[in-house]
Each structure stands twice: as structure tokens, then as C-alpha cells.
């Protein structure tokens, strides 16, 4: 199946996952800015990867604007975020990126990445630091909130090639 992976990455985690998927499938792999200039008609599967920002897949609007045009293709979107895969809120957040009609056309996946403050844009870094400060100041934090504060206080990497397995399996269907 002729496949293309299109990604938008801020700190490298989404790019890493896009490249792992491309390596495993022999797919073409392009950054979003380059993909916007390319004719995608020859592809049978189009995979879009973006990073999570407050539950939204960054730059997903471009992909969504083309869903109807790509009705004859297998469509996949994956999101890379800082939360561990076990976080129960991930599925809810993923669904919020697509309306009911779009959910029937696009299969979504989540891949845990991490945080890299050194590569993060200044506005994103500021937003994260403010969030962490707010969480630290909160009284009577739950255990989950305490863990979150500890994780988000510094850079970390929880990405793993194993998280692309569900995407690879879905491509074979």
C-alpha cells in the first residue's frame, strides 16, 4: 500500500515517530510544510502526525480540511504527547479533535513522547512553566497531580518504537 506520513513536530518526538513508521512501512515521510505542496493523489494511505497541545493535535486543521477529498484513502492521525499511554484522558482528547462524521473516516492513535524544554518554542515553554507553577501551588494535590508536577518540571523522553505497533497493524487491515 503506497503510504505517506506527514508530520508536524516542535521538539522532535513526532518526527521520530513519523520516521519510525516510515522505516517500518517503506512509506514516504514529509514535514507538513513540504507535504502541503505535494500532490497526494497516488497514495492509498495518508498518515498525519502532530503533537498534543492542551488536548488538540497541532496543525490538525490542514488534515481535517482534506478528509472529504481523500475519501478513497485509508486515513490515520497520530498524536504525540507528554502523557504516559495509560492516561485515561487521552482517548477523550483524541476524539475531541474530530467530529462524529470525521471519526468514521479517520483512525486515531496516541504515542507517548515527552518534553524537551531545550527545543521548545518560547511561548510553549512559558505556557508549560506557568502550568507547572500553578500545579505546584495547588493545595491538596492528588497523587496523579503530584506525579504530573514531578514529570513536567524537567525534560524527559518516554518515546518507544513499540507504540507504533497499533498503527502498523491497522495499516495491514
Amino acid at each position: 500500500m503506497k503510504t505517506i506520513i506527514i508530520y508536524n513536530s516542535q521538539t522532535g518526538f513526532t518526527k521520530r515517530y513519523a520516521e519510525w513508521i516510515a522505516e517500518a512501512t517503506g512509506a514516504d515521510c514529509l514535514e507538513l510544510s513540504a507535504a502541503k505542496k505535494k500532490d497526494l493523489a497516488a497514495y492509498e494511505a495518508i498518515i498525519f502526525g502532530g503533537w498534543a497541545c492542551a488536548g488538540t493535535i497541532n496543525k490538525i486543521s490542514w488534515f481535517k480540511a482534506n478528509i472529504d477529498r481523500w475519501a478513497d484513502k485509508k486515513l490515520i492521525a497520530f498524536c504525540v504527547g507528554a502523557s504516559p499511554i495509560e492516561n485515561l484522558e487521552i482517548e477523550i482528547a483524541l476524539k475531541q479533535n474530530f467530529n462524529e462524521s470525521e471519526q468514521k473516516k479517520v483512525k486515531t492513535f496516541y504515542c507517548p513522547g515527552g518534553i524537551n524544554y531545550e527545543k521548545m518554542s518560547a511561548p510553549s515553554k512559558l505556557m508549560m512553566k506557568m502550568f507547572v507553577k500553578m500545579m505546584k501551588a495547588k493545595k491538596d494535590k492528588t497523587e496523579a497531580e503530584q506525579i504530573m508536577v514531578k514529570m513536567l518540571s524537567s525534560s524527559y523522553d518516554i518515546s518507544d518504537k513499540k507504540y507504533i505497533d497499533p498503527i502498523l497493524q491497522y495499516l495491514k487491515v
Side-chain angles (χ1 to χ4, degrees):
M1 177 180 303
K2 188 163 171 74
T3 303
I4 186 166
I5 298 119
I6 300 161
Y7 68 91
N8 177 52
S9 187
Q10 178 178 222
T11 61
F13 294 107
T14 307
K15 179 180 181 182
R16 179 184 300 157
Y17 276 109
E19 289 173 346
W20 283 341
I21 296 165
E23 178 184 296
T25 62
D28 293 336
C29 187
L30 290 175
E31 198 165 359
L32 177 59
S33 57
K36 285 181 176 181
K37 302 170 190 164
K38 187 169 177 69
D39 179 9
L40 304 178
Y43 293 98
E44 299 164 273
I46 298 174
I47 302 172
F48 179 82
W51 50 279
C53 182
T56 302
I57 302 172
N58 193 268
K59 304 288 184 186
I60 196 68
S61 57
W62 172 83
F63 182 78
K64 288 175 60 154
N66 289 289
I67 289 174
D68 290 335
R69 196 167 59 134
W70 298 332
D72 62 330
K73 302 179 186 314
K74 184 173 270 197
L75 300 177
I76 297 171
F78 72 93
C79 177
V80 178
S83 293
I85 197 122
E86 303 82 19
N87 186 331
L88 301 175
E89 296 173 16
I90 291 169
E91 191 172 331
I92 296 163
L94 280 178
K95 285 186 177 180
Q96 292 176 353
N97 284 276
F98 297 99
N99 65 37
E100 199 173 314
S101 170
E102 293 165 340
Q103 288 177 28
K104 293 175 184 170
K105 300 171 187 174
V106 179
K107 181 74 171 163
T108 57
F109 298 90
Y110 177 77
C111 300
I115 290 186
N116 186 333
Y117 285 112
E118 294 74 29
K119 290 185 178 179
M120 199 176 280
S121 70
S124 293
K125 190 184 303 187
L126 179 63
M127 181 182 71
M128 289 301 298
K129 294 293 183 183
M130 286 173 53
F131 178 73
V132 170
K133 187 175 182 178
M134 181 186 75
M135 290 298 296
K136 282 182 177 178
K138 183 179 178 190
K139 294 185 188 320
D140 302 321
K141 286 186 276 299
T142 65
E143 186 179 341
E145 289 169 334
Q146 290 171 13
I147 292 168
M148 184 188 324
V149 166
K150 187 176 180 192
M151 282 183 75
L152 298 179
S153 293
S154 60
S155 296
Y156 63 93
D157 182 350
I158 54 174
S159 60
D160 192 307
K161 220 178 213 180
K162 70 183 179 186
Y163 296 119
I164 68 169
D165 289 345
I167 298 169
L168 301 179
Q169 290 303 316
Y170 181 72
L171 273 173
K172 292 177 185 176
V173 176

